[in-house]
Amino acid sequence: MRVSNRAADVVPLVDEIRVAADGERDALGFFPKSVYEQFAYQSRIVVALNDQTNALLGYSIFGGALPQGRILQTWTSESSRGLGVGRRLIEEVAKLLEEAYFLSMRADVAADLADANQFYERVGFEVVRTRPGGKTRGRVINVRVRELATPSLLDLAGDEHALGHLTTLPSSLGQPPLYTLDLNVLLDVSKQRVRSDIAGKVMSMAFEGDIRLAISEEMIAELLRHVAPGEADPTLAFALTLPRLPLPPTPVLSQFTADLSSLLFPSRAKNGTLRTRDHSDLRHLITAIHECATGFITSDQAVLSIATELRSRYRLDVLSPEALLPPDQVSAGEAMRASVGEAHVVVRPLEDTDYPSVERLLSNLHVAPQYVRSALSSGTVAHPRRRFVVESEGQMCGFASWPSPIGIGERQLSIFVDEGSSAASGCAEHLVGRAIADVGATGPATFNLEARVGQPSVRQAAIAGGFFADGGAARGRHLRKVALGTVVTPSNWSDVRAQLISKAGIYLPSACPEFVSEQQPILLGDAKANTRAVPLHDLERLLSPATLALTGRPAVILPITQAYAEALFKGSSQPSLLSDQEAALHAVRAYISRAGAFSAIKDGAIAVFYESGTNGGRSAVIAMARVTRRYLMEKGVASALAVRRGVLNPVAIRDIGSSTKVTVSEFDNVMLMRKPIVLSALRSMGCADGANFVTAKSITSSQLINIVEVGQPYV
């Protein structure tokens, strides 16, 4: 017996497969012939064949979208039953799904089909819940799930010399990070100057335990130089209450002074005319570098202007008080509505009246009371918590909370869903996506999520979103995540690299690579000089939301109407009056366009969405995303896909072009343009032609990078 999912082997058998399935509709359901053909061409049918005669012994059809695959049909001929054909088919499907990084596979089996339930139980599928079947027959459906042995993104090799340390964030992230203060920030607080409110909030962060603050011994010496003997000085008195870092040894001071002075005071350093104040400023910085502080907080523009060089050379994050604080206007998004089948789902911020319902949900999930209180806590004024609830048909079915972004430290993410809800998977995916997009203005964010027993939807959604197991344990409970939240280009590569080193201990290559393919290896490193090659596609998922706009990477401009944009990624200037489609819950969504667009969309492409000017549209580029795959599909099949991953209705799909097929482009890592780029600007970039984006149009990587730099995409 041999098994295969190659189209060359399967397509000739489509009619035989369809006849076999139609003969057992009670167990297998019904698909039109075109569906079998589509699955065959997409290599989603595995067949078992007799070695000598090539006769069909059985087949399995699978589908699904990350992170969960689905077994749609499994059939074996009467003569081959009991010979292990069905098990061989399921194991082959499992292997294919694991290679594609799926985390589990699901089979929905009617409870009255005793033989089918016994079979799926034997091959490792457990019942996780039941759901009602169709209204006509009134069946009960067992939802069976089998976890796959898919490794995390950075645990793909068992080699003990591989970069296992990248699956665990640096231990320093387990405690509040250390920041040192410049004298100007201290003076803002003690003397109640114009910036005292902002500086005071930095102090509040330290009092609340979000960060650790310290000053250098040099600061005390500097203040003493300006205080007359016996004179009381409130600033000095305040400074003496703060933790102090000692000055480095004289050889260290001399070594760093020579290097830093040429950066900070190039003219005076060259002429040998450094002032006492200059030496004092240098000692503050050298102390922070020598003591391995996370950052140096200052409002001195001269120091801030060399922040990139200091990050790159010394892993010291130099920033102003404003950059350290989370912007007050930034939130984790507003309420949204979606339809999942016949159910209506609402995701919205927690309200006071929701406490009893959330407590009941968490109690039913056996969450400890102290953890419930922690997850429900509102945080502090300077550091509030994000808290969202999910309702389906008026019933509480999900809750999530996490700290607002402050750009430092690790943030504890709590997500719970009612696994018995039909919306559980979509809700978990949406809550994970909403949280990791809440990066803030200060660069990469790090998250910690406890994947609790009995919450497979949360675990699957998290790992699909780039979380990985703490310590590299394939099924560890504690999952961690680095969220970049930006588009990386050759011009900001060094800055992003420095941020990832400082905040996550992950070293990108020193030089920005050029694009070769989605599978090209990107060499990562850690502080111990371990290295590991990670495919580009996986690196973007690990750092998601993130996109690498590399030189040579293919890109395409896709036209989209105002209404389509609003429904697909809420990227329109006008709010929609209708409930969102289910696609709004998912990280991976589908853009459906003319069949002819297929050739314009290359493997590994970045999609740029141009909103047309009809019906109030902006005639501008409004968003971008990473194309994960694209394929041709019959319009009838695409209509079924659009129910979950897209937003077009069957009539709209039917009216796309004259072909019987459409192009389906699946995409993720959506980012909206902070500055939409209008048609005239696109023309000046050489992106527009006479057609003005009525169909997909390929653009060069340099044009893509130009669009990124002008449009300033954000999550």
Side-chain angles (χ1 to χ4, degrees):
M1 176 177 58
R2 68 183 182 91
V3 295
S4 173
N5 68 325
R6 294 175 61 248
D9 291 327
V10 179
V11 170
L13 300 172
V14 163
D15 286 338
E16 189 176 349
I17 291 170
R18 180 178 57 81
V19 170
D22 288 349
E24 297 192 29
R25 287 192 185 184
D26 185 60
L28 301 178
F30 171 76
F31 287 152
K33 179 180 179 181
S34 60
V35 172
Y36 292 102
E37 291 175 344
Q38 288 293 330
F39 279 119
Y41 282 112
Q42 294 178 49
S43 300
R44 289 180 178 266
I45 301 180
V46 177
V47 293
L49 305 173
N50 183 288
D51 284 326
Q52 283 75 40
T53 65
N54 274 341
L56 179 66
L57 304 178
Y59 72 87
S60 186
I61 302 178
F62 65 98
L66 284 168
Q68 188 174 72
R70 296 191 67 167
I71 303 293
L72 302 177
Q73 290 184 355
T74 298
W75 172 90
T76 57
S77 65
E78 288 189 14
S79 61
S80 62
R81 290 173 187 172
L83 302 179
V85 174
R87 179 180 291 275
R88 179 74 182 277
L89 288 167
I90 293 298
E91 295 306 322
E92 182 66 18
V93 171
K95 175 187 172 185
L96 293 169
L97 291 174
E98 287 169 354
E99 290 173 351
Y101 302 123
F102 282 77
L103 303 175
S104 65
M105 54 182 177
R106 166 180 167 177
D108 289 10
V109 188
D112 58 293
L113 298 176
D115 290 344
N117 277 281
Q118 289 173 8
F119 166 73
Y120 281 106
E121 187 169 346
R122 286 197 302 271
V123 294
F125 287 76
E126 298 180 4
V127 177
V128 296
R129 65 181 176 90
T130 61
R131 64 172 179 82
K135 295 180 180 180
T136 303
R137 304 189 60 182
R139 276 175 150 176
V140 173
I141 306 297
N142 289 331
V143 179
R144 291 182 169 274
V145 174
R146 168 176 159 176
E147 286 196 22
L148 298 171
T150 306
S152 62
L153 295 178
L154 294 179
D155 190 33
L156 300 179
D159 186 350
E160 62 180 359
H161 301 296
L163 188 55
H165 291 290
L166 281 185
T167 58
T168 305
L169 297 178
S171 58
S172 60
L173 290 174
Q175 58 180 320
L178 175 65
Y179 281 78
T180 61
L181 287 177
D182 199 358
L183 179 59
N184 48 51
V185 180
L186 194 69
L187 291 172
D188 286 339
V189 176
S190 64
K191 295 186 178 296
Q192 292 294 298
R193 301 196 299 199
V194 174
R195 298 163 57 86
S196 63
D197 181 58
I198 294 173
K201 288 183 178 180
V202 172
M203 296 294 178
S204 296
M205 292 173 66
F207 294 146
E208 293 170 3
D210 297 325
I211 61 175
R212 291 176 293 152
L213 286 179
I215 60 173
S216 67
E217 192 69 48
E218 172 63 24
M219 184 179 291
I220 300 298
E222 187 174 2
L223 288 169
L224 285 171
R225 286 196 292 268
H226 295 87
V227 177
E231 178 183 343
D233 183 272
T235 303
L236 176 60
F238 180 41
L240 288 170
T241 68
L242 297 174
R244 275 176 278 171
L245 302 177
L247 280 174
T250 300
V252 175
L253 281 172
S254 300
Q255 174 189 346
F256 278 96
T257 296
D259 187 23
L260 284 173
S261 60
S262 62
L263 274 178
L264 193 54
F265 314 111
S267 297
R268 293 196 292 275
K270 183 178 180 180
N271 298 329
T273 56
L274 291 177
R275 304 169 301 184
T276 301
R277 175 62 188 276
D278 297 338
H279 283 287
S280 187
D281 289 344
L282 290 170
R283 288 191 184 100
H284 294 321
L285 281 171
I286 294 168
T287 300
I289 293 169
H290 186 255
E291 293 296 325
C292 298
T294 299
F296 181 71
I297 306 171
T298 181
S299 53
D300 187 327
Q301 290 301 318
V303 180
L304 292 170
S305 67
I306 61 169
T308 299
E309 289 86 350
L310 291 172
R311 274 197 302 269
S312 177
R313 293 191 190 188
Y314 306 111
R315 295 182 59 188
L316 181 69
D317 196 12
V318 176
L319 69 171
S320 67
E322 293 90 342
L324 183 67
L325 295 171
D328 292 336
Q329 70 273 20
V330 175
S331 70
E334 302 300 327
M336 60 151 286
R337 298 176 181 273
S339 298
V340 181
E342 297 181 356
H344 298 286
V345 176
V346 178
V347 184
R348 58 175 175 78
L350 176 80
E351 299 175 357
D352 290 345
T353 55
D354 295 322
Y355 276 74
S357 298
V358 174
E359 288 176 339
R360 280 195 299 273
L361 171 66
L362 301 190
S363 176
N364 291 338
L365 296 174
H366 307 291
V367 180
Q370 64 270 24
Y371 196 98
V372 174
R373 290 193 295 270
S374 174
L376 280 169
S377 66
S378 59
T380 64
V381 174
H383 191 195
R385 288 183 67 83
R386 316 296 203 195
R387 298 175 299 169
F388 284 86
V389 296
V390 184
E391 292 178 322
S392 178
E393 300 301 305
Q395 297 295 314
M396 189 71 62
C397 64
F399 171 72
S401 77
W402 62 93
S404 57
I406 55 177
I408 52 176
E410 187 172 278
R411 297 155 68 189
Q412 180 65 44
L413 172 59
S414 301
I415 298 180
F416 305 93
V417 298
D418 178 2
E419 292 287 349
S421 169
S422 61
S425 177
C427 291
E429 189 176 347
H430 177 78
L431 291 171
V432 167
R434 187 181 283 249
I436 64 177
D438 190 21
V439 174
T442 54
T446 57
F447 292 91
N448 184 305
L449 170 68
E450 183 177 353
R452 293 173 171 264
V453 175
Q455 293 276 276
S457 295
V458 174
R459 180 183 179 85
Q460 291 167 8
I463 296 182
F467 280 76
F468 45 84
D470 189 1
R475 306 203 185 281
R477 288 182 62 181
H478 290 279
L479 303 177
R480 294 181 137 169
K481 165 73 179 169
V482 180
L484 188 56
T486 192
V487 179
V488 186
T489 65
S491 61
N492 70 1
W493 179 269
S494 295
D495 193 41
V496 170
R497 180 178 185 271
Q499 290 177 341
L500 284 172
I501 292 172
S502 173
K503 298 185 179 182
I506 296 176
Y507 288 69
L508 292 175
S510 299
C512 180
E514 294 188 359
F515 179 85
V516 178
S517 75
E518 292 178 284
Q519 298 303 319
Q520 73 185 82
I522 305 295
L523 195 65
L524 301 185
D526 65 9
K528 296 183 178 181
N530 298 303
T531 58
R532 173 68 193 275
V534 177
L536 171 63
H537 182 274
D538 289 346
L539 177 62
E540 286 177 315
R541 187 148 65 101
L542 174 71
L543 300 177
S544 64
T547 301
L548 274 62
L550 306 178
T551 300
R553 188 161 195 175
V556 61
I557 296 181
L558 300 177
I560 193 167
T561 65
Q562 181 270 332
Y564 196 177
E566 171 63 21
L568 195 58
F569 43 71
K570 303 191 73 66
S572 170
S573 59
Q574 300 181 16
S576 173
L577 300 178
L578 303 175
S579 292
D580 294 324
Q581 301 295 316
E582 185 181 348
L585 293 175
H586 297 299
V588 178
R589 304 172 194 174
Y591 172 89
I592 301 173
S593 55
R594 297 170 183 264
F598 183 86
S599 59
I601 306 170
K602 310 298 183 184
D603 290 336
I606 302 299
V608 176
F609 294 93
Y610 175 84
E611 183 179 281
S612 69
T614 57
N615 298 321
R618 284 174 284 183
S619 298
V621 163
I622 61 167
M624 64 178 293
R626 177 183 73 156
V627 178
T628 56
R629 64 177 185 141
R630 87 278 192 246
Y631 44 87
L632 292 172
M633 180 175 279
E634 293 288 341
K635 287 182 176 179
V637 184
S639 297
L641 170 73
V643 172
R644 295 196 68 242
R645 297 284 170 176
V647 294
L648 292 186
N649 59 46
V651 174
I653 293 174
R654 181 197 64 195
D655 293 339
I656 294 177
S658 57
S659 172
T660 61
K661 292 183 173 63
V662 290
T663 298
V664 178
S665 303
E666 295 183 3
F667 64 91
D668 63 5
N669 284 336
V670 178
M671 299 187 191
L672 302 183
M673 295 295 174
R674 184 170 281 106
K675 297 181 178 180
I677 305 173
V678 297
L679 182 59
S680 58
L682 292 169
R683 286 199 180 104
S684 68
M685 296 178 188
C687 298
D689 53 25
N692 288 347
F693 309 120
V694 296
T695 187
K697 183 182 187 304
S698 298
I699 57 174
T700 65
S701 62
S702 61
Q703 290 169 331
L704 169 66
I705 293 169
N706 199 0
I707 287 173
V708 169
E709 293 174 346
V710 174
Q712 299 177 18
Y714 70 99
V715 293

